[in-house]
Amino acid sequence: MGNYLNSRYGKVLKKLRKELDLTQAELAVRCSLEPSYISLLERELKKPGFDTLWALSKGLELMPSELLRKIEEHSEVGHGDGSCASKFASHHIGGKLYDEITD
């Protein structure tokens, strides 16, 4: 995921936070994170791990796959380059949409 998370995830995070009219402190409370950590993420000085992405998605009222999709849409990584970002597939199972990484 290296290059994938080196994309513009910070700008996406900030945009989504502002769309919900949340301060960094309010988002931090929703995510059980420190406000200073939200700031570091938005400025892309820290890379979010899986647990952080999961917490952020819940705090932003998104499914984790939706958050990753939004990051991918604003990524500097080109589509179809063989990176993890370009290897997602969606499937409907039992009326729900699930995403998976394909080989």
Side-chain angles (χ1 to χ4, degrees):
M1 252 194 200
N3 288 339
Y4 184 50
L5 289 180
N6 285 335
S7 64
R8 297 182 177 161
Y9 68 88
K11 291 179 180 82
V12 172
L13 175 60
K14 185 174 183 176
K15 178 180 180 281
L16 293 170
R17 175 179 61 78
K18 289 187 173 225
E19 285 175 2
L20 290 173
D21 198 29
L22 296 172
T23 65
Q24 288 179 345
E26 291 167 332
L27 178 59
V29 168
R30 285 181 170 209
C31 300
S32 299
L33 298 169
E34 293 294 322
S36 59
Y37 189 65
I38 299 292
S39 174
L40 291 171
L41 290 171
E42 287 186 359
R43 292 182 290 142
E44 299 178 12
L45 297 175
K46 290 285 184 181
K47 293 180 188 176
F50 180 79
D51 290 340
T52 301
L53 286 170
W54 189 271
L56 288 168
S57 69
K58 298 304 176 190
L60 293 167
E61 302 172 2
L62 297 169
M63 294 296 297
S65 58
E66 291 176 285
L67 178 57
L68 288 173
R69 190 170 292 117
K70 290 178 183 292
I71 291 170
E72 181 181 15
E73 289 169 0
H74 291 88
S75 176
E76 294 172 352
V77 177
H79 295 284
D81 66 354
S83 70
C84 181
S86 65
K87 293 187 172 187
F88 280 98
S90 298
H91 303 282
H92 287 279
I93 303 171
K96 293 186 177 181
L97 181 65
Y98 291 90
D99 292 330
E100 69 177 10
I101 298 174
T102 61
D103 290 329

